[in-house]
């Protein structure tokens, strides 16, 4: 089984996002995994993160101000894989950072660093040739995004060539600023799961254990990002303790759905 299959086979998975180079990244990643995160998303800092709200935008700027480069991110990934051989690692970011040196180069670097999957926010399925074939050739999952506006006509294109898991962006907006109504999440997750066997993880706007628990009751995974990034902003290099506290509570809420 792949790392993704193992992570999702246990039941609803907690997917945790932080930005590479923001705070003490290695210590933050360790805190997430050791506190119950099942899948890690590591954000690649970018100057114009169009899908992200203020929290992650500011994290991108903090990281870039420290001089974080693509080489640093792959080093962080390699070191993470050495410390956590079983935890799936996803790079999340934007096309400029991924294809600047060529899609084949990026896919090769992902494979060498032990990266399991990539989420590229601004390459739509219709432009899959820009990155998808290179990732698949390198054995790296391309994780696509579905949204509330993804209708039945377009869903097959979203699913084609996608693997690892499907990321359902539950609001038609940016990260961290609002949460969708539970009823709308349940309806769309049902449609996505009926159309594909790929696990469905729900994100955007999930901040509390209570929200995570409600989503875990219907989805295969819950993605939390801005709430964690806010802690890094507040505590800087001292963030791991606060990250452990919140991640433990989130993991307990999500994993309780397994027992239910």
């Amino acid at each position: 089984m792949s790392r993704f299959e193992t992570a999702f086979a246990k039941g609803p998975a907690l997917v945790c996002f932080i930005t590479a180079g923001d705070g003490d990244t290695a210590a933050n990643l360790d805190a997430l995994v050791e506190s119950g995160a099942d899948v890690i998303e590591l954000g690649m800092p970018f100057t114009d993160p169009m899908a992200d709200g203020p929290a992650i935008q500011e994290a991108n700027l903090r990281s870039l101000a420290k001089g974080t480069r693509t080489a640093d991110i792959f080093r962080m990934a390699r070191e993470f894989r050495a410390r956590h051989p079983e935890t799936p690692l996803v790079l999340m970011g934007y096309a400029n950072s991924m294809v600047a040196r060529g899609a084949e180069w990026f896919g090769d670097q992902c494979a060498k660093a032990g990266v399991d999957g990539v989420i590229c926010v601004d390459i739509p399925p219709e432009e899959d040739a820009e990155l998808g074939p290179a990732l698949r050739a390198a054995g790296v999952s391309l994780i696509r995004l579905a949204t509330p506006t993804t209708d039945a006509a377009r869903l097959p294109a979203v699913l084609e060539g996608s693997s690892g898991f499907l990321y359902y962006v539950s609001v038609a907006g940016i990260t961290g600023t609002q949460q969708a109504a539970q009823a709308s999440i349940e309806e769309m997750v049902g449609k996505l799961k009926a159309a594909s066997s790929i696990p469905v993880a729900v994100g955007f706007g999930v901040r509390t254990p209570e929200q995570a628990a409600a989503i875990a009751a219907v989805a295969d995974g819950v993605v939390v990002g801005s709430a964690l990034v806010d802690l890094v902003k507040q505590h800087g290099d001292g963030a791991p303790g606060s990250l452990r506290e919140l991640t433990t509570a989130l993991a307990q809420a999500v994993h309780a759905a397994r027992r239910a």
Side-chain angles (χ1 to χ4, degrees), residues 141-180:
S141 292
L142 176 60
I143 298 163
R144 288 240 175 83
L145 306 171
T147 73
T149 59
T150 302
D151 58 20
R154 190 163 188 267
L155 182 56
V158 173
L159 295 174
E160 178 68 27
S162 183
S163 62
F165 64 92
L166 183 67
Y167 190 140
Y168 175 54
V169 177
S170 60
V171 296
I174 55 178
T175 58
T177 59
Q178 58 183 320
Q179 188 196 14

Side-chain angles (χ1 to χ4, degrees), residues 99-236:
V99 302
R101 298 184 186 180
E104 290 76 16
W105 178 89
F106 184 75
D108 180 64
Q109 292 298 305
C110 285
K112 289 179 178 177
V115 172
D116 300 278
V118 168
I119 299 171
C120 184
V121 176
D122 53 348
I123 294 183
E126 292 80 3
E127 298 175 15
D128 178 74
E130 297 296 323
L131 184 61
L135 290 179
R136 289 186 284 271
V140 178
S141 292
L142 176 60
I143 298 163
R144 288 240 175 83
L145 306 171
T147 73
T149 59
T150 302
D151 58 20
R154 190 163 188 267
L155 182 56
V158 173
L159 295 174
E160 178 68 27
S162 183
S163 62
F165 64 92
L166 183 67
Y167 190 140
Y168 175 54
V169 177
S170 60
V171 296
I174 55 178
T175 58
T177 59
Q178 58 183 320
Q179 188 196 14
Q182 181 68 17
S184 69
I185 293 174
E186 293 180 8
E187 179 181 5
M188 191 61 177
V189 168
K191 291 179 180 179
L192 295 173
K193 290 178 69 64
S196 173
S197 60
I198 301 175
V200 177
V202 177
F204 279 46
V206 184
R207 286 185 164 271
T208 69
E210 293 75 19
Q211 293 170 334
I215 293 171
V218 298
D220 301 302
V222 181
V223 185
V224 180
S226 293
L228 299 168
V229 170
D230 278 341
L231 292 176
V232 180
K233 176 184 179 181
Q234 293 170 25
H235 301 284

Side-chain angles (χ1 to χ4, degrees), residues 24-37:
D24 186 339
T25 303
N28 292 342
L29 291 171
D30 291 347
L32 297 176
V33 174
E34 291 163 6
S35 302

